[in-house]
């Protein structure tokens, strides 16, 4: 079985090209920076990451072109594909990339650390505009929610 699941941040905006001909197909290439869970031989607490090249075709490629930006945290599932070619100097180069089957955002727009359109700005459609709902009561320091006085009768337990 050849199945891979990754979560990471895009190192740059996806590079998208379209095939020639009647039925054009989008081919999006991007690189995910995936944090390593364990640091082998690294005594410092430095974050290390692997940079995984990914390729998305058709609708997935169009989606990546439209919505993914540098710094966006995404989750990807797909398969690993290896290959090789001979470069212009006659040297054989080996490649490994993830062929994307499924991709999705791994955090909300408001939680994104990158600005690229996904920062802490308000969007229309109920994301903090004049028609938005009031905020839910905040939890107290002990982790329990503060319940206003006089609401005891409405609670299902006493």
């Amino acid at each position: 079985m050849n199945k891979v699941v990754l979560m990471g941040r895009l190192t740059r905006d996806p590079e998208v090209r379209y095939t020639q001909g009647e039925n054009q197909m989008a081919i999006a290439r991007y690189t995910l920076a995936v944090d390593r869970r364990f640091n082998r031989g690294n005594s410092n607490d430095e974050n290390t990451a692997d940079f995984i090249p990914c390729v998305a075709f058709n609708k997935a490629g169009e989606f990546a072109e439209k919505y993914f930006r540098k710094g966006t945290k995404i989750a990807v599932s797909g398969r690993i594909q290896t290959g090789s070619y001979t470069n212009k100097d006659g040297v054989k180069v080996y490649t490994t990339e993830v062929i994307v089957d499924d991709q999705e955002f791994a955090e909300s727009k408001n939680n994104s650390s990158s600005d690229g359109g996904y920062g802490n700005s308000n969007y229309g459609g109920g994301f903090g505009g004049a028609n938005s709902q009031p905020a839910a009561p905040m939890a107290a320091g002990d982790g329990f929610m503060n319940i206003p006085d006089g609401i005891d009768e409405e609670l299902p337990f006493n």
Side-chain angles (χ1 to χ4, degrees):
M1 178 187 295
N2 183 354
K3 182 78 171 175
V4 63
V5 177
L6 301 169
M7 184 181 301
R9 294 193 182 277
L10 275 77
T11 60
R12 64 181 190 274
D13 290 355
E15 177 185 312
V16 181
R17 295 187 179 172
Y18 288 85
T19 60
Q20 299 295 317
E22 230 175 270
N23 298 323
Q24 289 188 343
M25 175 177 57
I27 303 171
R29 294 184 178 276
Y30 53 83
T31 302
L32 278 184
V34 179
D35 290 334
R36 288 188 186 172
R37 185 173 249 178
F38 302 105
N39 298 332
R40 295 184 194 189
N42 189 354
S43 61
N44 301 335
D45 285 335
E46 296 176 16
N47 289 335
T48 57
D50 291 305
F51 298 91
I52 314 290
C54 300
V55 183
F57 294 95
N58 295 322
K59 296 289 183 190
E62 292 171 9
F63 184 88
E65 178 180 36
K66 188 172 183 180
Y67 296 108
F68 290 171
R69 298 290 174 260
K70 177 181 178 180
T72 304
K73 188 174 187 180
I74 63 171
V76 168
S77 66
R79 62 184 169 85
I80 294 177
Q81 181 172 290
T82 60
S84 64
Y85 64 92
T86 304
N87 69 11
K88 63 182 179 183
D89 298 327
V91 177
K92 192 164 192 172
V93 177
Y94 294 93
T95 62
T96 303
E97 56 194 8
V98 173
I99 305 302
V100 175
D101 291 329
D102 189 32
Q103 59 189 0
E104 59 188 66
F105 293 102
E107 69 183 356
S108 69
K109 293 177 186 177
N110 291 336
N111 289 341
S112 178
S113 65
S114 112
D115 190 36
Y118 297 100
N120 290 326
S121 62
N122 289 329
Y123 295 84
F127 289 104
N131 296 330
S132 62
Q133 299 292 323
M138 297 299 290
D142 57 4
F144 291 96
M145 210 178 260
N146 290 326
I147 299 176
D149 293 334
I151 196 168
D152 296 339
E153 303 84 41
E154 297 178 21
L155 295 177
F157 52 87
N158 283 334

